[in-house]
Amino acid sequence: MVQISLGTLKTLLFTLGPFLLPKLIGYYRAYQAKARSRPVPVRPLPSYIFTALNILFVSCLFALISTLPTFAPENIFQVTSSRLQTPNDVLFNRLGFMRPEGKLTEADELLKPRIASLDARCLYLYYGPSIVTYCPFCLSDEPMSYFWYAIPMILFPHVLHLFALGAATSTAIGGKEGNRWRNSAAMIGVGLALSECYWTGAGDWKANARVARPEDLNHFHWNMRIWRGIGIAVTDAALAAFIWASSTNRMFVVPPTAAERMETAMKVLEISRARLGALGIVRNVVVRDEGFRRKAESYWRNEVQIMGEIMDEREVVEGLRSALGSGRVQFPQVEEDARRFADGIIVGPTSAPNAVPL
């Protein structure tokens, strides 16, 4: 594995920073300008999206936890610090001394005759201890038999991951915002599974046969577990970011179709019509009820009196006189607009050619 020192990272940052930083600032400003001019405004995150994001968070968390050494299967060559060429008896004697009771377990006894040869030990590091220990038909002379036995175990975490992706992007949980990313998420999940199968089947399982020192061994099975967990976690985090950005209209905005706009307009008209109907009912009750009618008449008498007092104030009179004298208010135009508006209400917009559309 290539080691990158801190000094190398500093050199790369100082070399590429002056070129990359202005571009990043430009991209950010362009995004901000586009966000301000977007046809669809930013909205709060819908409540149902939280469930989809929580599913992805749990899947990402389990994937990262699976990469920890605590949950990895035991590697007897690492535990005993043994070379791949160490005699079998010496290797398992060291292993027995490290067991709690000072003797090998049942799984150790099953494994001992199965890794007696160098090829079998290479397969152990490549496919892991459970495959080599419990495969009933695998032979080191036929290394592909280990691969066929390992396929269900390779695919099992990816199947669970696909279930999580499917649940998060389903219409019932993620709505149309989550369902929009369903095909992409499924293709990425299947791609991760097929990639791991390909790398496992096409890899060089005999690469460790030429390694002399224990620290130079390539523990493929254990490394693949780490890369699998990282790949699943990155996929879940990226999908969660995409769902969040699209559901809040920050990115990947899809303008509503003509049918959706028509449906929204019809809903607004229905709500307005219902409110106008309710207002008519309230007005009818006020007119018919004597007590309500007296209160309404009293309100309008007070309104006329208050507005009359306001209009008689010196500041208001001077303001009106100034507006009329400067020509800012065109009374003929105001009267014409009022007449057209009244005609539009009484006659109707289709019957009055000069009426103002309501």
Side-chain angles (χ1 to χ4, degrees):
M1 184 178 293
V2 179
Q3 300 290 335
I4 300 178
S5 63
L6 183 60
T8 304
L9 289 176
K10 289 182 179 179
T11 303
L12 289 174
L13 288 176
F14 282 117
T15 303
L16 301 177
F19 300 98
L20 295 179
L21 187 59
K23 290 184 176 295
L24 292 176
I25 295 175
Y27 290 147
Y28 176 75
R29 289 177 177 174
Y31 168 73
Q32 290 293 329
K34 185 178 180 181
R36 286 191 293 268
S37 62
R38 61 164 57 94
V40 181
V42 175
R43 65 172 182 174
L45 188 68
S47 58
Y48 54 85
I49 295 295
F50 281 103
T51 305
L53 297 183
N54 288 334
I55 292 174
L56 294 175
F57 172 75
V58 172
S59 175
C60 178
L61 185 63
F62 274 105
L64 292 177
I65 290 176
S66 68
T67 62
L68 298 177
T70 306
F71 301 97
E74 183 184 51
N75 187 340
I76 63 174
F77 292 96
Q78 279 188 333
V79 171
T80 59
S81 300
S82 301
R83 297 181 300 110
L84 210 62
Q85 295 81 9
T86 301
N88 213 31
D89 292 335
V90 176
L91 175 64
F92 280 90
N93 284 336
R94 294 175 181 175
L95 185 63
F97 287 130
M98 302 182 68
R99 295 304 185 205
E101 298 180 359
K103 62 180 181 179
L104 298 175
T105 62
E106 183 179 353
D108 296 334
E109 296 290 350
L110 290 174
L111 179 63
K112 184 175 181 178
R114 292 175 180 264
I115 58 170
S117 64
L118 182 61
D119 287 349
R121 295 185 176 190
C122 291
L123 291 167
Y124 173 88
L125 294 179
Y126 196 81
Y127 289 103
S130 60
I131 302 297
V132 177
T133 303
Y134 298 108
C135 180
F137 58 85
C138 299
L139 298 173
S140 57
D141 297 336
E142 299 178 4
M144 286 303 294
S145 59
Y146 290 90
F147 173 71
W148 299 122
Y149 185 77
I151 283 181
M153 297 185 183
I154 293 174
L155 294 179
F156 180 71
H158 293 286
V159 172
L160 294 180
H161 183 222
L162 284 173
F163 273 117
L165 295 178
T169 57
S170 64
T171 306
I173 295 178
K176 64 178 182 180
E177 293 86 356
N179 188 259
R180 174 184 174 187
W181 303 98
R182 190 176 183 85
N183 293 335
S184 301
M187 287 189 292
I188 293 174
V190 173
L192 289 175
L194 295 179
S195 299
E196 184 174 353
C197 290
Y198 172 77
W199 287 332
T200 303
D204 184 12
W205 61 272
K206 295 190 69 173
N208 289 315
R210 298 178 293 273
V211 177
R213 298 187 303 174
E215 57 269 20
D216 294 335
L217 291 173
N218 178 20
H219 306 278
F220 179 84
H221 175 72
W222 288 265
N223 294 336
M224 183 57 69
R225 291 181 71 259
I226 296 175
W227 287 113
R228 178 200 304 147
I230 292 175
I232 291 175
V234 170
T235 301
D236 293 339
L239 179 60
F242 290 152
I243 293 177
W244 173 82
S246 61
S247 61
T248 56
N249 294 332
R250 284 178 168 83
M251 296 179 68
F252 315 109
V253 178
V254 178
T257 62
E260 291 175 342
R261 292 197 298 269
M262 181 65 71
E263 183 180 0
T264 303
M266 292 301 296
K267 288 181 179 179
V268 172
L269 289 176
E270 287 293 332
I271 294 173
S272 301
R273 179 178 176 275
R275 290 178 177 176
L276 288 174
L279 181 61
I281 294 173
V282 173
R283 178 62 180 170
N284 191 22
V285 171
V286 170
V287 172
R288 291 176 179 272
D289 186 86
E290 183 178 356
F292 287 151
R293 187 169 62 252
R294 289 178 180 175
K295 290 182 179 180
E297 292 173 353
S298 174
Y299 169 80
W300 286 113
R301 283 196 299 268
N302 293 334
E303 178 72 11
V304 172
Q305 180 180 357
I306 292 172
M307 290 303 299
E309 293 175 356
I310 292 175
M311 297 300 294
D312 291 338
E313 292 183 1
R314 180 178 178 181
E315 292 83 357
V316 177
V317 172
E318 291 179 353
L320 291 174
R321 187 179 301 166
S322 175
L324 294 174
S326 61
R328 287 180 295 173
V329 178
Q330 301 292 335
F331 262 97
Q333 183 64 36
V334 173
E335 291 177 352
E336 180 64 18
D337 292 341
R339 185 189 65 78
R340 293 171 58 192
F341 183 80
D343 290 342
I345 295 176
I346 299 173
V347 182
T350 59
S351 302
N354 297 326
V356 177
L358 298 179

